[in-house]
Amino acid sequence: MKTLAAQVITPEDLLNHWQGHRALTRRVIEAFPEKDFFEFSIAGMRPFSKLADELLAIAVPGLKGIVNKEAKPFAEDSEKLIFKAQYLEKWDEATAIINEYWQKLSIEDFNETFNLFGQYEFPVIQNILYFIDNEVHHRGQGYVYLRALNIEPPFFWER
């Protein structure tokens, strides 16, 4: 018999929270000049395009894996994008796919253990929170880059 943990946030509110972060990260991508999106870095950190590659490789494949109960390996370099506009298009496609797959999760699924990418065995809720936390972490790097480029980043609270 499956049991439910105490619920603090509804699945719909969690999705809205995640998509709010994704909308903000999209605005960070938009703020970068084309060249700097692919080339600018500080202290050996990856350019923001590489961070966006990672975020794209986690969100949809991770959620699909959870919904389909398939622990496929992490694959960051599956598609080479060469223009910022391609990243924005992929970001928007991923947003729609996340919304679609989210609807396939039941409330019970959030407490089930899942081995994300065959590496991270945690309850689904923890995996989803990781998706969000990882994005916030990398977006923070993007904010540092934008400020170093004398570009005002979007307000972090406008999600």
Side-chain angles (χ1 to χ4, degrees):
M1 171 184 233
K2 292 183 180 182
T3 59
L4 296 178
Q7 185 175 338
V8 176
I9 186 171
T10 66
E12 294 78 18
D13 287 341
L14 181 56
L15 175 62
N16 288 335
H17 178 77
W18 184 14
Q19 291 293 23
H21 279 290
R22 289 182 52 76
L24 181 53
T25 301
R26 188 187 195 286
R27 290 198 306 279
V28 170
I29 293 169
E30 288 176 324
F32 272 89
E34 185 84 19
K35 182 178 187 291
D36 293 322
F37 180 68
F38 291 96
E39 296 178 10
F40 189 81
S41 71
I42 296 173
M45 293 190 296
R46 295 173 286 171
F48 202 69
S49 63
K50 292 295 182 191
L51 302 178
D53 284 336
E54 178 183 317
L55 298 175
L56 287 167
I58 288 174
V60 168
L63 186 58
K64 280 184 175 181
I66 288 168
V67 169
N68 296 329
K69 298 180 181 4
E70 295 177 350
K72 293 183 178 178
F74 179 72
E76 187 171 336
D77 295 323
S78 61
E79 185 176 5
K80 293 288 183 198
L81 306 176
I82 59 172
F83 298 107
K84 190 173 74 167
Q86 292 173 304
Y87 279 85
L88 293 170
E89 183 179 330
K90 288 291 178 190
W91 199 264
D92 294 342
E93 289 172 8
T95 296
I97 294 168
I98 289 167
N99 288 338
E100 174 190 342
Y101 273 79
W102 192 267
Q103 300 309 312
K104 298 176 183 185
L105 287 172
S106 71
I107 191 73
E108 293 86 6
D109 289 333
F110 289 92
N111 290 319
E112 294 295 315
T113 298
F114 180 73
N115 192 358
L116 183 66
F117 302 119
Q119 297 178 329
Y120 309 105
E121 192 155 349
F122 297 105
V124 166
I125 186 65
Q126 294 301 319
N127 288 321
I128 291 168
L129 292 173
Y130 164 76
F131 300 162
I132 297 167
D133 292 346
N134 188 56
E135 181 173 332
V136 170
H137 162 71
H138 287 314
R139 188 174 63 239
Q141 290 173 278
Y143 273 58
V144 170
Y145 289 175
L146 290 173
R147 292 211 181 270
L149 292 165
N150 293 313
I151 298 169
E152 182 75 22
F155 296 124
F156 75 91
W157 60 84
E158 289 184 349
R159 292 182 278 127

